[in-house]
Amino acid sequence: MNTLVGTGRLTRFILRRERARLSAWVGVLALVPVATASAFMTLYPDEVSRQALANTVASSPALTALLGPLHSSSIGGLTVWRSATIAAFLVAILAILTLVRHTREEEETGRRELLGSTVMGRHAPLAAALLVMMGAGVVLGAMLSLGLIMVGLPAAGSVAFGLALAGTSFVFAGVGAVAAQLTEGAGAARGIGVGVAGGLFLIRMIADSGVGEFDWLSWLSPIGWVSQMRPFAGEVWWVLAFWLALAAVLVGVAAVIADRRDVGAGAFRPRPGPSTAGRGLGSALGLAWRIHRGSVLGWTFGLAILGAVYGATADSVGDMLDGNPQLAEILEQLGGEQSLVDGFFVAALGIIALITAAYGIRAVLRIRVEEEALRAEPVLATSTPRLEWATSHLFFGVMTPVLILSIAGSLAGAAYGAITGDVGEQTARALSAALVHVPAVWVVVGVTMALVGLAPHRTGLSWGFLNACLILGQLGRILQFPQWSLNLSPFTHVPQFPAEKLDLLPLVALLVVAAVLVAAGLAGFRRRDIRN
């Protein structure tokens, strides 16, 4: 039998299942850069104002590390600088999650075996998932290019930007395809894929941090290739070949692995466990730790490195004052150079908090994963109470963000303090700046728990909520969204400490909201049927 038999029908089936989710993702990712370009036209209507912004960005490796390099002071160049890195990373996450959902997750739940009993080729599920995701990338690129052209930007740069995001979707669809072949669990496959995306994003940050000897690292990251293609700054079209070549290699590797393994199995078989369980597995919390420990250590280590990178680049913020006496005079009235550094830490640690919230969502959603995989019922058939089992997973969603933010903030402050010669004070300031984001992260965790308990079939909305927080926080003010919409994100209410005075009232309000959401989710989980 042809190994691709049934690919067309399976593609249509996946499109039917994904029509709402993919449409929303593609629509938002295409429209946000277009709206950003329109906003820049209003905010910076002349070349003088745009060049002033470009000079500020160019003088700060910290801003470049956060958002990527700025290659042109045109509206198109500013649009790419402000939105390309965020869009590319979101496209990467979308591609990985989509591929894993329609390959490894289908095998884990047994649906793949049912489909395999029909007239369907061995590689049809993988091919169909790749066709859908790569097709979505092409649609995204076309919509983005057309939108930028319609607002008056040059066609060449618009097409280059669209092709860059489409190429990114191709590569990370391949990453998701390979990750899905490696393990037997969808959660582990998602972890591998997202970990690769996060690592490549970190490589891009190091390359753009202003340390000259690391510039070449940008060529190792497909996310960094978006900048290397230079939309609106003398487009380098041959960079597109890098995405296509890497995508082809990854798809080929995934196909070879899929051809050599059994359905439901992974390339790496799990090691058999000991014949008797350790004493730690005698409680729900011990079992939860056994499940979560790998992700706890991995996320903490990765974000700790990110915090250290941010801290090491913070010293370059002061370079913005060189040759700009007007800015220096203003900052002297506001608190001097330290106020600018504090503002940088507010922005940098806010990004780390958003990423940490992603871990919180993943930890709480483990409750639903265990339900759907039929692993919850055997545990609940013992004397373990339902709420004790649920809160054992919730515990990691609540407490691990505190650990991550504490370590990342401390390392950011210590790295900056090591450069300025004041490790103790700077560590304390950065740690405080990190911990004020904890209540906002807990609100995201609370939303996830509420969905698990009250609307378990809609738990995917938790990721939509986090994406909305990301867009509102990073682009909302530039896009001139109304204040009421910005207030929908809990991160909007986090005090800008230490750049501003600490206000405890918003933090208390966020804690109350988080507590109410968690309580509602636990109450709903206690009353509903398992797997309902």
Side-chain angles (χ1 to χ4, degrees):
M1 180 192 298
N2 188 336
T3 59
L4 296 177
V5 168
T7 300
R9 290 187 177 182
L10 196 53
T11 299
R12 291 192 293 273
F13 177 61
I14 294 175
L15 284 172
R16 179 177 177 81
R17 292 179 59 191
E18 291 286 331
R19 61 185 184 277
R21 184 186 289 110
L22 271 183
S23 297
W25 273 87
V26 169
V28 170
L29 289 172
L31 292 176
V32 165
V34 175
T36 302
S38 299
F40 273 128
M41 291 177 182
T42 302
L43 295 172
Y44 302 95
D46 54 74
E47 179 59 29
V48 174
S49 60
R50 293 195 294 270
Q51 189 59 53
L53 175 60
N55 291 339
T56 300
V57 174
S59 64
S60 174
L63 283 177
T64 305
L66 276 172
L67 299 172
L70 175 60
H71 296 298
S72 169
S73 61
S74 65
I75 293 296
L78 291 173
T79 301
V80 171
W81 165 72
R82 194 62 183 83
S83 61
T85 299
I86 296 173
F89 184 71
L90 290 178
V91 166
I93 299 301
L94 169 63
I96 291 167
L97 296 182
T98 301
L99 260 294
V100 173
R101 181 164 50 249
H102 292 289
T103 53
R104 174 53 58 186
E105 189 172 306
E106 293 295 287
E107 293 188 41
E108 187 178 28
T109 57
R111 291 190 290 264
R112 166 68 175 83
E113 196 166 1
L114 290 175
L115 289 173
S117 64
T118 65
V119 182
M120 185 186 72
R122 182 178 183 83
H123 292 155
L126 177 60
L130 287 168
L131 283 174
V132 169
M133 187 58 240
M134 291 182 175
V138 171
V139 172
L140 167 61
M143 289 179 60
L144 174 60
S145 300
L146 182 61
L148 292 176
I149 293 172
M150 290 178 65
V151 298
L153 297 188
S158 301
V159 172
F161 193 4
L163 288 176
L165 291 190
T168 302
S169 74
F170 287 12
V171 167
F172 285 97
V175 170
V178 173
Q181 312 305 316
L182 299 180
T183 70
E184 293 187 356
R190 282 189 287 265
I192 292 171
V194 172
V196 170
L200 293 173
F201 183 83
L202 182 59
I203 289 173
R204 196 282 309 164
M205 279 192 58
I206 296 173
D208 295 333
S209 63
V211 182
E213 58 265 31
F214 293 129
D215 290 349
W216 59 273
L217 286 175
S218 180
W219 291 102
L220 299 182
S221 171
I223 297 176
W225 297 346
V226 177
S227 173
Q228 297 293 349
M229 197 169 185
R230 295 178 180 263
F232 305 103
E235 294 75 19
V236 183
W237 297 102
W238 53 264
V239 175
L240 181 62
F242 283 26
W243 280 299
L244 298 178
L246 182 55
V249 170
L250 291 170
V251 170
V253 170
V256 169
I257 298 175
D259 199 39
R260 297 184 178 183
R261 65 176 180 86
D262 293 334
V263 174
F268 301 113
R269 296 184 180 276
R271 294 180 301 174
S275 57
T276 57
R279 286 182 295 178
L281 294 177
S283 65
L285 185 61
L287 176 60
W289 165 245
R290 178 65 178 81
I291 293 171
H292 288 272
R293 65 184 182 185
S295 59
V296 169
L297 297 175
W299 282 74
T300 302
F301 179 75
L303 290 176
I305 294 176
L306 182 58
V309 171
Y310 278 142
T313 58
D315 185 56
S316 66
V317 174
D319 296 340
M320 296 172 62
L321 302 180
D322 296 340
N324 196 334
Q326 294 83 4
L327 180 59
E329 182 179 351
I330 293 172
L331 288 174
E332 186 67 29
Q333 298 173 0
L334 295 176
E337 183 178 323
Q338 184 63 50
S339 66
L340 189 60
V341 174
D342 288 342
F344 169 75
F345 273 120
V346 168
L349 293 173
I351 293 176
I352 291 179
L354 280 165
I355 301 174
T356 303
Y359 168 81
I361 291 175
R362 187 172 181 272
V364 176
L365 288 183
R366 189 70 193 194
I367 298 172
R368 187 60 181 167
V369 170
E370 294 296 297
E371 285 187 70
E372 293 181 331
L374 301 179
R375 292 189 292 265
E377 290 183 350
V379 176
L380 296 177
T382 67
S383 59
T384 303
R386 182 181 290 202
L387 286 185
E388 180 183 340
W389 177 79
T391 53
S392 67
H393 294 284
L394 178 63
F395 173 83
F396 291 96
V398 171
M399 297 310 299
T400 303
V402 179
L403 174 67
I404 291 174
L405 289 171
S406 298
I407 295 176
S410 297
L411 288 179
Y416 175 64
I419 297 173
T420 60
D422 189 9
V423 175
E425 181 179 353
Q426 297 304 330
T427 300
R429 291 172 68 86
L431 174 60
S432 302
L435 290 179
V436 294
H437 291 87
V438 168
V441 174
W442 282 352
V443 170
V444 177
V445 171
V447 168
T448 308
M449 187 65 233
L451 289 170
V452 169
L454 301 174
H457 297 292
R458 298 290 182 267
T459 52
L461 294 176
S462 56
W463 294 109
F465 179 64
L466 182 61
N467 290 333
C469 292
L470 174 63
I471 293 172
L472 291 172
Q474 298 300 309
L475 299 172
R477 297 194 184 279
I478 288 180
L479 299 179
Q480 299 179 316
F481 286 170
Q483 187 60 42
W484 67 264
S485 65
L486 298 179
N487 290 338
L488 295 177
S489 169
F491 296 94
T492 302
H493 305 281
V494 175
Q496 304 296 295
F497 181 80
E500 298 177 2
K501 183 180 179 180
L502 180 62
D503 185 0
L504 294 178
L505 183 59
L507 298 180
V508 173
L510 290 173
L511 288 174
V512 171
V513 171
V516 170
L517 289 169
V518 168
L522 290 174
F525 181 77
R526 183 180 182 183
R527 289 179 173 83
R528 69 171 175 82
D529 293 335
I530 296 295
R531 297 194 73 218
N532 186 15

